């Protein structure tokens, strides 16, 4: 409710270009929080092409290239327990409203429809089956092994602050959005899909299954 994480990745290589937190705790109204997040989106819209151009893996990209955003938003509400009291219920409703405003700003500012990512799907892509706080912690540990100098927030005691997990959540959602986009592009390739279909039907076992389905549900 007071912080959100974000992860800016290169689509082609998944190289992290910027990871961070947006602190909105000074704002009391949902609309004000959305405006603060929107301001960061505007900054990212400006700096993303610059960061991509200076990235070691993207020096061949031309500055006049047309940029396209792919946005994944971690739908954290699906991984939370049912509210147990009026206060937690009100907090979840406020967060859902804030999420809706941010999704609209993404469409307006970045000209792309965000993909709401179920946390369990983004974790599964990383090989994690954890749920809840344990699943988030596992994603963070995976992020630190795959991303050099992954940013962390520490408490005064030196222990890891849970706010750090917001960045690893965003990192996982971004990776899933990239994979989902690649799969969608492949499925839109009619020639490729037909080639895969013929290859699958070449299997004796699959051909028997296809024939059995045809007998059970004959085309009219």
């Amino acid at each position: 409710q007071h912080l959100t994480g974000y992860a800016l990745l290169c689509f082609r290589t998944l190289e992290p270009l910027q990871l961070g937190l947006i602190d909105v705790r000074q704002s009391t109204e949902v609309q004000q929080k959305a405006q603060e997040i929107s301001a960061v989106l505007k900054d990212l819209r400006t700096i993303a092409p610059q960061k991509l151009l200076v990235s070691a893996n993207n020096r061949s990209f031309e500055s006049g290239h047309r940029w396209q955003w792919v946005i994944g938003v971690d739908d954290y509400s699906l991984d939370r327990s049912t509210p147990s009291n009026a206060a937690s219920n009100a907090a979840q409703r406020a967060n859902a409203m804030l999420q809706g405003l941010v999704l609209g700003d993404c469409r307006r500012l970045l000209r792309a429809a965000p993909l709401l990512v179920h946390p369990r799907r983004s974790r599964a892509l990383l090989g994690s089956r954890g749920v809840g706080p344990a699943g988030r912690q596992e994603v963070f540990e995976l992020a630190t092994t795959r991303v050099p100098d992954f940013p962390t927030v520490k408490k005064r005691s030196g222990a890891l602050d849970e706010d750090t997990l917001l960045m690893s959540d965003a990192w996982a959602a971004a990776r899933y959005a990239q994979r989902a986009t690649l799969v969608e592009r492949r499925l839109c390739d009619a020639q490729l899909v037909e080639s895969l279909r013929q290859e699958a039907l070449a299997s004796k076992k699959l051909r028997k299954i296809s024939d059995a389905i045809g007998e059970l549900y004959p085309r009219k």
Side-chain angles (χ1 to χ4, degrees):
Q1 189 174 5
H2 304 304
L3 286 168
T4 186
Y6 67 89
L8 178 64
L9 310 183
C10 169
F11 182 88
R12 189 179 67 179
T13 65
L14 291 176
E15 175 190 359
L17 304 176
Q18 185 164 313
L19 299 157
L21 293 169
I22 307 173
D23 189 343
V24 295
R25 73 185 73 208
Q26 298 300 322
S27 300
T28 57
E29 300 295 330
V30 172
Q31 288 80 2
Q32 293 175 334
K33 296 177 187 292
Q35 288 173 1
E36 292 196 34
I37 296 173
S38 178
V40 175
L41 290 175
K42 291 177 182 178
D43 288 340
L44 291 175
R45 181 181 61 181
T46 301
I47 67 174
Q50 301 168 5
K51 286 183 172 290
L52 196 58
L53 285 169
V54 300
S55 171
N57 294 319
N58 295 285
R59 297 191 185 281
S60 60
F61 283 9
E62 298 179 0
S63 58
H65 190 80
R66 181 182 178 184
W67 307 103
Q68 181 179 0
W69 288 86
V70 173
I71 308 167
V73 176
D74 182 71
D75 198 357
Y76 67 94
S77 61
L78 298 176
D79 200 40
R80 297 291 180 90
S81 59
T82 304
S84 57
N85 52 55
S88 59
N89 183 57
Q92 285 203 13
R93 290 181 63 184
N95 287 339
M97 185 183 299
L98 177 59
Q99 184 183 71
L101 292 172
V102 172
L103 292 175
D105 283 340
C106 286
R107 295 188 185 93
R108 178 174 59 85
L109 296 172
L110 306 179
R111 306 295 182 184
L115 172 67
L116 274 175
V117 179
H118 195 303
R120 295 185 187 180
R121 290 187 175 181
S122 58
R123 291 171 196 160
L125 181 61
L126 295 168
S128 169
R129 300 295 178 183
V131 297
R136 297 182 68 205
Q137 181 66 33
E138 189 174 351
V139 167
F140 167 72
E141 293 170 359
L142 289 167
T144 57
T145 61
R146 300 191 186 189
V147 179
D149 302 320
F150 192 92
T152 57
V153 180
K154 298 291 184 67
K155 298 179 180 179
R156 290 184 178 180
S157 63
L160 181 72
D161 194 308
E162 187 179 355
D163 293 341
T164 303
L165 304 185
L166 293 169
M167 290 183 283
S168 51
D169 290 342
W171 172 78
R175 292 177 63 94
Y176 183 87
Q178 184 250 22
R179 174 62 64 87
T181 301
L182 290 176
V183 171
E184 183 180 7
R185 290 177 181 176
R186 295 294 186 274
L187 292 177
C188 290
D189 186 338
Q191 185 175 356
L192 174 62
V193 171
E194 180 61 23
S195 174
L196 293 175
R197 176 177 173 277
Q198 293 300 329
E199 184 177 335
L201 290 177
S203 166
K204 185 179 295 185
K205 182 181 294 186
L206 289 178
R207 190 164 58 249
K208 287 182 178 179
I209 294 175
S210 178
D211 293 341
I213 293 175
E215 293 176 2
L216 290 171
Y217 304 98
R219 294 183 178 180
K220 295 181 180 180

